[in-house]
Amino acid sequence: MSRQVIVWRHGRTEWNVAGRVQGQTDTPLDEVGVQQAEAAALRLAALQPHRIVCSDLQRARHTAEALGRVAGVEVEPDERFREMNFGAREGLTWHESFEKFPVAMRAWIDGDETQIPDTETHLEAGERFAAALHEELESLPADGTLVVVAHGAVIRTGVCSFLGFPQSTWRTFGALSNCSWSVLTESGPPQHRYWRLTEWNAGTLPEPVMTDDD
C-alpha cells in the first residue's frame, strides 16, 4: 500500500457566502460549515488517517477536529498551512477591492501580486505549504494516510508547488469547494517513488484505479 495525502478544505463561513476575502483573518465556520465538516468527517474516517495536521485558523482547525473526533486521532495545528495572506484586501469583496485599489488590482490580474499592501504572493504561499508538507511526510509510515486541513488558495498553490508544476500552469486548476478534498498518492517502484495527483475537488472516497497507465 502507498502513502497517501488528503488535502481537505475547511467548511463554509459567512465570509465565503458574502464573497469576502478571508486570507489569514480568523473567521469561524457558519452553521452549514459545521454540518459540512461533520458529514465529510464520517467519510474520511474510513481512510483511517495516521495523522491529521491543519492550519491553526479556527475554520480549518474546527473542520479538522470533526475528523479527529470520529477517527480518534489528535489534531496537530501548524501555522504554515494557513491561508495565503491577502493583506489589505482581507475583509473586502472583489468589487470593494477594485474600488479601493484600482491600479493595484489591475496589476494583480496582470500577474504582479506585489502592489496590494502587506500581501503574500501565490508563489510564496505555495512554497510555504509545500515545504511544510515535505517535512510532515518525513514521519509518515509506508502505508500511512496524512490529512492536511487548510484553505482554498494555499491548497491550490501548495499542491502545485509540491508536485513541481510550473507556476504558469497553476491557474488552470480550479478552486476547491468547501469541505472538498484532493488526493496525492505515492507511486512508482521502491527505488523511484514519486507523488501523483489522483483526485481533485472530490467529495467521495478515493477508489482504486484499474489502468494500464501506471
Side-chain angles (χ1 to χ4, degrees):
M1 182 176 178
S2 299
R3 294 192 298 175
Q4 186 170 244
V5 179
I6 310 297
V7 190
W8 185 23
R9 188 187 177 201
H10 62 79
R12 199 184 82 173
T13 71
E14 289 185 359
W15 279 24
N16 285 145
V17 178
R20 299 195 177 279
V21 174
Q22 293 178 108
Q24 296 190 0
T25 303
D26 199 10
T27 54
L29 297 176
D30 65 12
E31 184 176 341
V32 170
V34 172
Q35 293 171 354
Q36 289 174 332
E38 292 174 348
L42 293 174
R43 293 191 289 276
L44 291 175
L47 299 177
Q48 299 180 321
H50 181 78
R51 293 179 60 207
I52 303 170
V53 299
C54 68
S55 158
D56 62 341
L57 298 177
Q58 62 176 311
R59 58 190 185 274
R61 191 178 73 251
H62 292 164
T63 299
E65 288 169 351
L67 176 58
R69 287 191 296 271
V70 178
V73 177
E74 181 180 357
V75 170
E76 306 169 54
D78 186 333
E79 66 180 11
R80 295 175 298 174
F81 293 116
R82 283 184 180 184
E83 178 60 295
M84 177 176 161
N85 187 345
F86 286 90
R89 283 186 59 201
E90 294 190 8
L92 303 178
T93 64
W94 186 261
H95 178 72
E96 290 168 345
S97 296
F98 261 99
E99 284 190 333
K100 190 169 184 178
F101 306 109
V103 176
M105 285 298 293
R106 282 194 292 271
W108 176 282
I109 291 174
D110 291 336
D112 180 1
E113 302 176 25
T114 65
Q115 302 304 307
I116 303 293
D118 304 317
T119 193
E120 184 178 26
T121 67
H122 281 85
L123 180 60
E124 289 168 340
E127 290 179 340
R128 162 170 59 83
F129 183 103
L133 180 54
H134 277 294
E135 184 177 313
E136 296 294 353
L137 286 170
E138 291 177 2
S139 61
L140 189 67
D143 61 348
T145 293
L146 171 68
V147 177
V148 179
V149 188
H151 312 263
V154 81
I155 286 176
R156 181 172 62 84
T157 60
V159 167
C160 288
S161 179
F162 176 80
L163 293 173
F165 296 151
Q167 191 181 1
S168 60
T169 68
W170 291 8
R171 286 186 174 183
T172 64
F173 288 81
L176 267 65
S177 304
N178 286 117
C179 257
S180 291
W181 54 83
S182 295
V183 181
L184 305 174
T185 305
E186 196 173 34
S187 305
Q191 66 273 22
H192 183 60
R193 303 293 280 170
Y194 56 91
W195 287 92
R196 278 181 167 174
L197 177 64
T198 51
E199 297 202 27
W200 184 259
N201 198 26
T204 56
L205 295 181
E207 296 285 346
V209 177
M210 293 171 283
T211 177
D212 295 332
D213 182 29
D214 196 0

